Amino acid sequence: MTSSLTHGWRLLRWGRTLGRHGALRGIEADGNAPAIVRRMARLARFGTATPAVPDYARAFEAIGPAAIKLGQALATRPDLIGEAAAQDLTRLQDALPPLPFAVIEAALVEAYAGPWQQHFISIDPVPVGAASIAQVHRGVTTDGRTVAIKVLRPGIEAAFAEAIETYEWAAAKVEAQGGEALRLRPRAVIASFKAWTLAELDLRREAASASELAEAMQGEPGFLVPEVDWARTTRRVLAIDWIDGVKMSDRAAVAALGLDGRVLAATLVRSFLRQAIAQGFFHADMHQGNLFVLRDGRVGVVDFGIMGRLDRRARVYLAQIIHGLLTGDYIRVAEIHFEAGYVPAHHNVGEFATALRAVGEPIRGLDARDISISNLLDGLFGITRSFDMAVQPHLLLLQKTMVMVEGVALTLDPKVNMWQVAEPFVRDWMREELGPEARLADSLVANFRSLRQLPRVFRQLIAKVPVEGAAPPMAPEPEPVPEVHVRARVVLHWWVALATAVAGIALGAALVAH
């Protein structure tokens, strides 16, 4: 087990790097940060030449691969690190110099326990992408299909395990300070980050996520999820169909396709809503580099390492909240927050509804391009602080992805209004899931499940209360003696003992006298 001294040294070393990029100023100035954290930030920054404007993204890139991934996770938590830092971390590019192809070849031979030529006719030695965890090459399988081949970097598991152990240690220390740190749940942040990275470090998990998302999106023909080549996929190698399209980050190439940007934007938004609300399983890293436009107008997606999941109850609450904000029904939105347990019960529903109105009314009816996401998030996080709301990591991941999707949609159609695209989808889904037919179906399912439990309940009842004659009669228990009789017997025993003693003394005296 790693010692506290080792954890402290790692944090100091990383802190010095953050300090040189001015990334610790926000912590030092934050009155809500625990005092010990502010002192450590000052200590780590001491003696460094800090720039006038903090460069959070470059700081995390300088620390290393695990920090790059952590920075991407923290970009979803402006409530935790501040809006300015979160916005700057969205620039974080998960890109590293590529490994030599000889290293990749050795990794493929190890993964396949034999020559890679048994699985592929050819592999382009020049990677199409090199990131902190893996790099991707284009290849052709022995049956003639073009695929993307993702290979883990050698030794990456040990490097991440070491860093995550220190992140967990530091998060526990910070959360133990209580107050605002406890409400923000830094340990939950690191737990979510750990789950993401564990999934990314086992490429079979990423393959399974891609397969599950493809099944979930069959009802959205305009959205393409590539098919996994399971025969050539291992823990350290992922083979998946190649998407022959244009990256959305290449705006000139997208425009050259001559497709309708409004249709593409609507497809993107609708696809995300189907994932998040209808299916409860969504791609949580839908930035422009992971999205492609195909010549037939479809939108394709790659990189399934970070996925989000919402159970049905959370999706129902989410749909009701979105619908309430769209329609201005703030009372119902407030009630949903209390019913879901997001707001502690000692707060007032009416006051919470008024706080929501203060955030929601200024944006109703505006185009997406006219809505300041910064101001919107600042208002929402102000509400969470005022009403002691514990942070819900799964909802923050969803929120980050929603903002990301909205930003990409705006590049396709500057006039897109995400709320207008969302409203009919959410309304129809709510009618299907919460309408009379849905409630009747839910009731029938619940009643059927209860009926299935009856045999077990009867067996338990018989075991506890056997039928008459099924067991030999028990010996009769003695009648309890009333408490008053018990006391009388005790007193009587005392009097008998006393009389016996007196009689004995008298008899002894008489014998002595004679």
Side-chain angles (χ1 to χ4, degrees), residues 144-320:
R145 290 181 301 107
T146 303
V147 294
I149 307 167
K150 186 173 185 178
V151 185
L152 287 184
R153 286 176 172 264
I156 195 65
E157 296 96 333
F160 269 75
E162 178 183 286
I164 289 173
E165 188 182 17
T166 297
Y167 297 159
E168 290 176 322
W169 181 86
K173 295 294 184 184
V174 171
E175 193 164 307
Q177 302 300 310
E180 182 74 356
L182 180 61
R183 185 187 70 81
L184 293 173
R185 303 169 67 190
R187 287 195 302 168
V189 176
I190 300 303
S192 296
F193 171 71
K194 183 177 182 179
W196 296 344
T197 54
L198 287 178
E200 288 195 85
L201 290 171
D202 186 345
L203 296 181
R204 295 169 301 189
R205 296 269 298 275
E206 181 174 342
S209 294
S211 177
E212 183 177 351
L213 186 63
E215 289 183 7
M217 295 303 291
Q218 288 179 354
E220 195 66 46
F223 191 80
L224 174 65
V225 179
E227 184 178 351
V228 175
D229 186 342
W230 286 104
R232 295 171 176 83
T233 294
T234 71
R235 185 176 66 85
R236 300 186 60 83
V237 178
L238 167 65
I240 195 167
D241 280 354
W242 183 267
I243 293 183
D244 191 11
V246 175
K247 275 192 177 184
M248 284 194 184
S249 55
D250 190 346
R251 298 174 66 176
V254 171
L257 294 176
L259 299 170
D260 190 337
R262 292 174 300 175
V263 174
L264 291 173
T267 298
L268 178 64
V269 173
R270 191 175 58 251
S271 300
F272 169 69
L273 293 171
R274 181 176 296 278
Q275 293 175 50
I277 296 179
Q279 302 297 331
F281 183 67
F282 60 94
H283 192 298
D285 200 18
M286 293 177 67
H287 58 74
Q288 289 177 316
N290 285 338
L291 293 166
F292 291 79
V293 178
L294 282 72
R295 287 173 174 77
D296 60 6
R298 287 181 297 168
V299 173
V301 65
V302 297
D303 195 352
F304 307 92
I306 303 178
M307 307 295 291
R309 196 179 292 276
L310 299 170
D311 61 25
R312 185 175 182 275
R313 183 185 178 204
R315 298 198 320 269
V316 169
Y317 282 135
L318 176 66
Q320 289 177 325

Side-chain angles (χ1 to χ4, degrees), residues 17 32 63 130 159 166 181 206 273 283 345 350 403 433 472 488 496:
T17 302
N32 290 322
I63 292 174
T166 297
E206 181 174 342
L273 293 171
H283 192 298
V403 172
E433 293 292 320
V496 169

Side-chain angles (χ1 to χ4, degrees), residues 211-448:
S211 177
E212 183 177 351
L213 186 63
E215 289 183 7
M217 295 303 291
Q218 288 179 354
E220 195 66 46
F223 191 80
L224 174 65
V225 179
E227 184 178 351
V228 175
D229 186 342
W230 286 104
R232 295 171 176 83
T233 294
T234 71
R235 185 176 66 85
R236 300 186 60 83
V237 178
L238 167 65
I240 195 167
D241 280 354
W242 183 267
I243 293 183
D244 191 11
V246 175
K247 275 192 177 184
M248 284 194 184
S249 55
D250 190 346
R251 298 174 66 176
V254 171
L257 294 176
L259 299 170
D260 190 337
R262 292 174 300 175
V263 174
L264 291 173
T267 298
L268 178 64
V269 173
R270 191 175 58 251
S271 300
F272 169 69
L273 293 171
R274 181 176 296 278
Q275 293 175 50
I277 296 179
Q279 302 297 331
F281 183 67
F282 60 94
H283 192 298
D285 200 18
M286 293 177 67
H287 58 74
Q288 289 177 316
N290 285 338
L291 293 166
F292 291 79
V293 178
L294 282 72
R295 287 173 174 77
D296 60 6
R298 287 181 297 168
V299 173
V301 65
V302 297
D303 195 352
F304 307 92
I306 303 178
M307 307 295 291
R309 196 179 292 276
L310 299 170
D311 61 25
R312 185 175 182 275
R313 183 185 178 204
R315 298 198 320 269
V316 169
Y317 282 135
L318 176 66
Q320 289 177 325
I321 289 170
I322 293 175
H323 190 261
L325 290 174
L326 290 171
T327 58
D329 190 356
Y330 300 108
I331 286 291
R332 181 57 191 144
V333 174
E335 290 172 346
I336 294 166
H337 277 77
F338 278 80
E339 292 168 7
Y342 296 153
V343 183
H346 65 270
H347 285 288
N348 183 275
V349 175
E351 291 180 358
F352 187 71
T354 301
L356 289 171
R357 181 182 293 273
V359 175
E361 281 300 304
I363 66 171
R364 285 188 65 205
L366 294 179
D367 287 339
R369 66 181 184 278
D370 297 326
I371 297 174
S372 169
I373 296 298
S374 174
N375 292 339
L376 175 61
L377 295 180
D378 183 66
L380 290 174
F381 292 135
I383 291 176
T384 65
R385 285 190 293 269
S386 299
F387 289 86
D388 306 316
M389 295 172 63
V391 171
Q392 308 294 327
H394 62 289
L395 294 181
L396 284 167
L397 182 62
L398 176 71
Q399 177 197 65
K400 182 269 291 187
T401 309
M402 185 177 293
V403 172
M404 192 181 293
V405 169
E406 182 183 45
V408 176
L410 282 170
T411 65
L412 297 170
D413 177 17
K415 295 183 178 180
V416 68
N417 187 321
M418 190 163 180
W419 306 106
Q420 288 180 354
V421 177
E423 199 276 333
F425 184 93
V426 173
R427 184 186 63 239
D428 293 344
W429 186 84
M430 288 181 63
R431 184 169 59 245
E432 294 174 4
E433 293 292 320
L434 304 178
E437 299 88 351
R439 286 198 297 269
L440 176 61
D442 288 344
S443 177
L444 289 174
V445 170
N447 291 337
F448 178 71

